[in-house]
Amino acid sequence: MQRLSIPHLNSSGIEAITQEEQILRSYQTVLILKPDLDDAGVNAMIEKVGEYFKKYGGSTLNVQNWGKKRLAYRVKKNRFGIYLNFYHTCENVRVVELEKDFFLNDSIIKFLVLRLTDKELERALNRINEVDATEGLSDDDDDDSATDDDDDDATIADLED
Amino acid sequence: MTYTKKRSFFAQKICRFCAEKVEVIDFYDIKLLKPLISERGKIIPSRISGNCAKHQRRLTEAVKLARNIALLPFSVER
């Protein structure tokens, strides 16, 4: 293996680049909290995470509580988790620090931070408003999905034959 | 014989996202993704589901994100 040498990037050069690129960007963050937290605990967590965003130069745009859900696989020995969805801004350089904070927080068992373009953010916020306007949080209609599953299973089984 | 029979079974060869004019596939929209996942948790290929290449690409990205945050399984063992 050849080592890559980068002569044009000395330490000062890297600093200059990072300083130049420090922009406030929008992100979507999904957190999975421990299932044994009660409502008060969840609200406290929402506030705490909002403080994290503030600490790194951002702010919370929207918070959604998706409620307690069954996880598709075990995460840190938990079968259930409380999902929180945030739309927020953060300084792009300090997202690493934000993720470190999530790692260190014991009530967060898993998280996902996604960068959103302006278009995507606008669309997401519009969609939330639409859903709020029509009805409250969407209920899980298992009936439809169950029938769909059955159909698809049949097709796959037929194909494999 | 069997071949034609099978073809007729998968008659719908229209991309369901094109038909509904869905541009962006959200990874948290599990209701949308679930029918495109096999019993084993695998993504159903576009030649079976009938999705167009563009939407199949977006679908795989969405499914992989959903797996990351434990909304969909990586694999289902039996």
Side-chain angles (χ1 to χ4, degrees):
Chain A
M1 281 269 287
Q2 265 192 328
R3 282 270 171 89
L4 284 174
S5 63
I6 311 169
H8 59 278
L9 278 184
N10 54 12
S11 60
S12 60
I14 290 166
E15 274 171 32
I17 287 168
T18 48
Q19 274 174 9
E20 210 175 89
E21 287 189 340
Q22 189 162 336
I23 315 165
L24 201 64
R25 287 217 168 100
S26 38
Y27 296 88
Q28 175 178 14
T29 296
V30 183
L31 302 177
I32 309 179
L33 306 182
K34 274 190 175 173
D36 45 354
L37 280 176
D38 52 355
D39 286 352
V42 172
N43 288 333
M45 272 307 295
I46 290 174
E47 274 179 28
K48 200 172 182 187
V49 173
E51 279 168 25
Y52 287 161
F53 298 150
K54 262 183 202 163
K55 197 162 82 181
Y56 299 120
S59 59
T60 317
L61 302 176
N62 196 296
V63 190
Q64 284 174 294
N65 189 348
W66 290 347
K68 199 171 180 177
K69 284 192 182 192
R70 196 188 170 84
L71 302 176
Y73 49 87
R74 278 188 166 201
V75 182
K76 293 190 184 169
K77 297 183 181 174
N78 293 299
R79 285 215 175 277
F80 290 86
I82 300 167
Y83 278 79
L84 290 181
N85 185 26
F86 292 86
Y87 293 99
H88 63 96
T89 52
C90 184
E91 279 172 17
N92 58 348
V93 186
R94 304 179 79 181
V95 173
V96 186
E97 296 169 51
L98 178 70
E99 288 184 336
K100 202 167 186 180
D101 272 348
F102 288 153
F103 260 121
L104 293 176
N105 196 318
D106 282 339
S107 340
I108 300 172
I109 55 175
K110 209 165 168 64
F111 63 87
L112 179 74
V113 182
L114 288 175
R115 194 174 117 194
L116 297 180
T117 60
D118 290 347
K119 240 184 188 176
E120 285 167 342
L121 180 74
E122 204 177 294
R123 185 186 155 276
L125 293 179
N126 283 339
R127 202 180 145 169
I128 292 167
N129 289 337
E130 275 174 28
V131 170
D132 283 350
T134 49
E135 50 180 322
L137 284 172
S138 62
D139 296 342
D140 282 336
D141 296 326
D142 285 338
D143 306 334
D144 299 339
S145 58
T147 49
D148 285 349
D149 282 350
D150 289 345
D151 289 347
D152 282 315
D153 294 345
T155 57
I156 294 153
D158 271 31
L159 185 89
E160 281 170 357
D161 282 343
Chain B
M1 278 291 280
T2 50
Y3 179 75
T4 50
K5 200 179 168 188
K6 270 180 188 172
R7 284 297 290 199
S8 65
F9 197 80
F10 305 116
Q12 46 107 8
K13 275 288 172 188
I14 307 151
C15 174
R16 61 175 80 186
F17 298 111
C18 285
E20 289 171 21
K21 293 192 177 163
V22 179
E23 270 302 305
V24 185
I25 302 173
D26 290 315
F27 69 93
Y28 49 83
D29 201 347
I30 298 303
K31 258 190 222 169
L32 193 75
L33 300 179
K34 258 281 164 64
L36 294 161
I37 297 293
S38 79
E39 209 176 90
R40 274 268 179 168
K42 293 171 155 190
I43 302 169
I44 294 178
S46 61
R47 78 188 136 84
I48 292 163
S49 60
N51 289 338
C52 68
K54 181 174 91 177
H55 284 116
Q56 185 72 10
R57 242 176 357 249
R58 288 177 188 180
L59 172 79
T60 45
E61 275 172 23
V63 168
K64 283 170 186 183
L65 280 176
R67 280 177 184 164
N68 213 322
I69 201 70
L71 290 171
L72 290 177
F74 281 102
S75 69
V76 182
E77 297 194 358
R78 274 184 284 180

